[in-house]
């Protein structure tokens, strides 16, 4: 992981991207705890999901079975190597993992650890395989193997998902962008609201559940937005505002239409003034939905 971080700094990756790469002691402990939590889940294979008797007394059951060989193509977060491997194993599937070049050293170490664990448990190590070659030109060759692969799951940005969908002959399960919004109601505790904004934007801006849009009720905007600007500037957050928020946010720039649907994954926040809860809901209804939960 230190090698990946060192290369990332040489490549001038953003602070958010470097944070996504980082695997310190605390994160490794949490990752191990996640593995144990998945191991403790009931075995889904063979579970009867539905059962009924149809005409002529025929009893029909819907039974959970493994999918087979699953390819997961993901970007810079090395913890995905372990998360996806253990979820596939717990559900009786084999997996082929292809991570981004930014985390290649970390991914190799983690995949190796999983394979050692499989061998110690008397299971085939090849149930989890990592693609070491980083040449993107090889991905279409991999995803043409309908004879050996059953499903591909791309996990990452819009460009990655579009590229996988365009070239894969294997069925694809994909997600949409993670554009998260926070709304500050007219009766909100402003100190609490400010703390929520700082946490949701600044704690880890490079993750998919960080907020990208902030919606503020018009009745409290004159009090809340100047306070917000003073606070976020100390955290290095760039503010982009609509025409109603802009005069109340010193240092902000005007937001474009594209800003409202952009997954920044960085210290950038788009701010909009809305006329109440109904207006806020109407705005969020037209945003891309996120199905990216931490797989």
């Amino acid at each position: 992981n230190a090698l990946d971080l060192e290369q990332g700094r040489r490549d001038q990756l953003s602070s958010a991207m470097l944070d996504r790469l980082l695997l310190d002691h605390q994160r490794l402990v949490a990752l191990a705890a996640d593995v144990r939590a998945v191991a403790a889940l009931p075995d889904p294979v063979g579970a009867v999901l539905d059962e009924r008797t149809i005409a002529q007394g025929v009893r029909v059951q819907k039974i959970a079975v493994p999918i087979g060989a699953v390819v997961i193509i993901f970007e810079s977060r090395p913890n995905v190597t372990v998360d996806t491997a253990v979820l596939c194993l717990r559900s009786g599937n084999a997996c082929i993992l292809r991570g981004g070049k930014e985390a290649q050293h970390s991914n190799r170490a983690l995949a190796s650890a999983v394979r050692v664990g499989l061998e110690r448990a008397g299971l085939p190590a090849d149930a989890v395989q990592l693609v070491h070659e980083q040449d993107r030109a090889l991905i279409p060759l991999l995803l043409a193997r309908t004879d050996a692969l059953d499903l591909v799951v791309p996990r990452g940005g819009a460009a990655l998902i579009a590229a996988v969908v365009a070239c894969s002959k294997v069925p694809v399960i994909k997600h949409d962008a993670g554009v998260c919004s926070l709304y500050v109601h007219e009766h909100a505790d402003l100190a609490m609201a400010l703390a929520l904004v700082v946490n949701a934007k600044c704690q880890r801006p490079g993750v998919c559940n960080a907020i990208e849009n902030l919606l503020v009720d018009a009745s409290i905007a004159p009090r809340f937005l100047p306070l917000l600007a003073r606070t976020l500037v100390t955290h290095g957050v760039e503010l982009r505002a609509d025409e109603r928020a802009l005069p109340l946010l010193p240092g902000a720039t005007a937001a474009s239409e594209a800003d409202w649907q952009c997954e920044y994954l960085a210290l950038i926040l788009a701010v909009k003034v809305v006329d109440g809860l109904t207006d806020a809901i109407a705005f969020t209804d037209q945003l891309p939905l996120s199905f990216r939960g931490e797989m």
Side-chain angles (χ1 to χ4, degrees), residues 17 22 40 42 49 59 68 97 99 103 107 109 112 114 118 128 144 185 187 215 232 235 289 291 294:
M17 284 291 291
L22 175 65
L49 306 177
R59 187 162 58 95
L97 309 173
N107 291 338
S112 176
V114 172
L118 284 168
V128 174
H185 189 271
H187 298 307
L215 311 177
L232 291 188
H235 293 274
L289 294 175
F291 300 105
E294 294 303 308

Side-chain angles (χ1 to χ4, degrees), residues 95-231:
C95 63
I96 298 174
L97 309 173
R98 200 279 188 183
K101 66 177 182 180
E102 299 88 355
Q104 58 182 313
H105 296 97
S106 305
N107 291 338
R108 290 176 184 180
L110 292 169
S112 176
V114 172
R115 289 169 61 85
V116 168
L118 284 168
E119 289 181 335
R120 290 178 179 174
L123 297 169
D126 283 344
V128 174
Q129 299 183 44
L130 178 72
V131 177
H132 287 215
E133 177 57 59
Q134 293 295 315
D135 186 353
R136 292 183 179 180
L138 297 180
I139 291 180
L141 299 180
L142 175 66
L143 300 186
R145 292 295 306 275
T146 55
D147 60 316
L149 304 176
D150 300 288
L151 181 70
V152 57
V153 180
R155 177 174 173 174
L160 169 67
I161 295 168
V164 168
V165 170
C167 74
S168 182
K169 293 180 171 58
V170 178
V172 179
I173 292 179
K174 65 187 181 78
H175 62 77
D176 208 333
V179 181
C180 303
S181 302
L182 187 152
Y183 166 58
V184 183
H185 189 271
E186 62 176 325
H187 298 307
D189 178 322
L190 297 190
M192 180 186 290
L194 183 61
L196 287 170
V197 173
V198 171
N199 177 271
K201 179 75 263 184
C202 305
Q203 183 196 37
R204 292 193 67 191
V207 296
C208 58
N209 57 345
I211 61 169
E212 311 294 6
N213 295 324
L214 177 66
L215 311 177
V216 179
D217 197 282
S219 63
I220 60 166
R223 287 184 291 142
F224 184 69
L225 291 184
L227 175 63
L228 177 81
R230 290 194 299 271
T231 302

Side-chain angles (χ1 to χ4, degrees), residues 25-80:
H25 176 73
Q26 182 179 359
R27 291 186 184 179
L28 284 171
V29 169
L31 188 58
D34 289 343
V35 173
R36 295 187 181 98
V38 172
L41 293 172
D43 187 353
V45 177
V48 178
L49 306 177
D50 189 22
E51 184 175 7
R52 61 186 182 274
T53 301
I54 60 174
Q56 291 83 43
V58 177
R59 187 162 58 95
V60 178
Q61 291 181 322
K62 181 189 292 184
I63 298 176
V65 297
I67 293 171
V70 181
V71 179
I72 296 100
I73 300 177
F74 55 99
E75 294 179 321
S76 60
R77 292 180 65 182
N79 63 291
V80 177

